[in-house]
Structure formats: structure tokens, C-alpha cells
Amino acid sequence: MAMHRRMIREHREGQVGPSLVEEESEALDKARAKAIDAYTTAVEKIRTGTEMEDLIKYDSQETLKSVLDRLETLRSYGIFKNQPPPFDPHARVWVHKLKPLKVAVANMFVLFSLQEMYDTARERGEQGEVLDILVLDEVHRYADNEEGILCTLSRESRKFGVAIIAANQDADLPPSFISSLATKMVLGIDELYWRSAETRMNIERRLLEWIKPQRTMAVQMKEIRATKSSWKWVVLQ
């Protein structure tokens, strides 16, 4: 565009001659080749497709320093050390004690551990028996959306030998996670969450009203080749 404007200006001033046209043409060819080389280099270096946005976002010392500070804080928690936990490989149960960690850090640790479990299970392929049992309390902290790793585990990991035992105070969980559970037991839900339980778990209000802590509960077990499973009224002895 700069060369084109220059040609128009010089033409108006009567300065355009064969030599000048040839000179401009050569310059344009060089600029074109340089642009092609630059574009080719840029395309070959694309990894995420967001390089330009990242450059704009992080092209400041303050932003980069903030990111580094957060990474340093995360590293100081010790959950990403390049050293496996000192578990006894012969022990049948491994327990991660997360109480010393902040809630956000503990949640992050669990989510990364779930991703590692899922990747390991997929690598070993389909299994004919249960090899790993995942036990989670306060499961709403980890099943926050349909695309999360826990929902993925619940949908896809059964055939890879992974079983999940999950406990929560209410039924405010993603539908895909609830529907993936083969056995559900309701020991008692606060009245505030009854409507949510009715909708998400397809359980009748009168059954929720009947449940008494440590005395009665409701159980639903999915059966092979059955498209619908009913809730059972269970009296505890």
C-alpha cells in the first residue's frame, strides 16, 4: 500500500519513468517474499492458536510477575513435587490426608489425581474385574460440571476396572454423574434439598419423608438390561 501511494504521488508529479517502475516492482517482489516467509514461520510455530491473544494478555511485566508469584505459591504447597507419595505398594488401601491443605489446593490435588487415575486406567485397557476403587466424600467439591474429570470417570472408567463410591449431603450434582451410579442410597436429605432430589434422582417425596436417619433408607440398584430401576424402601436393623 505504501508503494502504491508512492507510485500515485510520483505519477502526479510526473516523475514516473521505466527505471522507477522497475525499481518499485523489484521492491514489491522482495516485500512479498518477505511477507510469505514471515507468514510461513508464524504458521509453523502455531501450537495453541491463541498465541496472539496470549502475547497481548501477557505482554506486560506486571502480568507476568503476577503469574510467576502464583506459580511460586502453588509450588510451595508441595502437591506437585516430582516424588511419589510414600505409600506401601502392598497395602490394599491408600489414603490421602488433605486436611492441612487449603480447600482450593486440596480440590486441585484431587482433580489432578483423578486425571492421573483416568489416564492410567485407559492405558491398561478394558478389564474384567474391579482394580481400583475411588472413595470421595463431599463429592460436590469435585463434580462441578458435566465436562469435569470426575464426571468423565463416572461415565467411562467402569470398563477400565475403576469403581467409584461417592457421598454427599444433597443431590445437587451434575445429572451425568448421578445417572452413571449403579447403586444409590439415600440415608436422609435435608428438606431444603427435597425438590432437587426429586428432580435429579427421580425419587418420590413421600419416600423422602419416610426416611429416618439410622432407621430407614431408600436404595436404587440398576439391573443388567433394565431401562428403569425403582426405589426400594429399606428398614435398617
Side-chain angles (χ1 to χ4, degrees), residues 11-214:
H11 179 77
R12 288 173 177 172
E13 295 175 356
Q15 300 178 4
V16 177
S19 59
L20 184 58
V21 172
E22 183 178 352
E23 178 183 340
E24 293 291 350
S25 178
E26 292 178 358
L28 182 59
D29 289 340
K30 291 180 181 179
R32 182 183 293 112
K34 185 177 179 180
I36 292 174
D37 291 340
Y39 184 78
T40 301
T41 301
V43 170
E44 290 175 346
K45 290 185 177 181
I46 288 177
R47 293 295 179 268
T48 65
T50 61
E51 282 81 4
M52 183 60 70
E53 291 82 355
D54 292 341
L55 177 63
I56 296 173
K57 185 184 299 181
Y58 299 113
D59 191 23
S60 72
Q61 184 176 353
E62 293 76 13
T63 302
L64 290 176
K65 186 178 184 305
S66 176
V67 172
L68 290 175
D69 289 343
R70 293 192 179 191
L71 289 174
E72 182 61 28
T73 301
L74 188 60
R75 188 189 69 82
S76 67
Y77 288 126
I79 64 175
F80 294 113
K81 287 183 178 179
N82 189 22
Q83 180 179 353
F87 287 129
D88 180 359
H90 302 292
R92 296 178 63 83
V93 177
W94 291 0
V95 180
H96 291 283
K97 296 181 180 180
L98 306 179
K99 288 185 178 180
L101 299 176
K102 294 181 179 179
V103 173
V105 179
N107 290 357
M108 182 181 296
F109 172 79
V110 171
L111 293 175
F112 273 94
S113 297
L114 294 179
Q115 184 67 56
E116 183 179 16
M117 174 181 287
Y118 176 65
D119 293 340
T120 301
R122 289 194 60 184
E123 288 176 2
R124 71 188 175 205
E126 296 188 14
Q127 304 294 320
E129 59 184 358
V130 176
L131 300 180
D132 297 319
I133 300 177
L134 170 66
V135 182
L136 283 174
D137 193 14
E138 303 294 348
V139 73
H140 69 275
R141 291 168 48 179
Y142 319 112
D144 56 349
N145 63 77
E146 295 281 354
E147 304 302 323
I149 181 57
L150 184 56
C151 290
T152 301
L153 264 172
S154 67
R155 292 192 303 265
E156 303 177 13
S157 64
R158 184 180 291 109
K159 62 184 176 183
F160 300 125
V162 178
I164 298 176
I165 299 176
N168 207 50
Q169 297 291 334
D170 56 61
D172 190 17
L173 300 168
S176 66
F177 178 77
I178 295 177
S179 64
S180 298
L181 302 176
T183 301
K184 306 181 188 72
M185 296 190 302
V186 179
L187 306 178
I189 298 178
D190 189 88
E191 296 178 7
L192 181 65
Y193 301 107
W194 281 4
R195 179 173 296 180
S196 175
E198 289 179 79
T199 303
R200 291 177 179 266
M201 304 182 71
N202 194 27
I203 186 172
E204 297 180 18
R205 171 67 66 93
R206 62 193 184 100
L207 180 51
L208 292 173
E209 295 174 349
W210 177 78
I211 295 173
K212 299 295 185 291
Q214 300 182 1

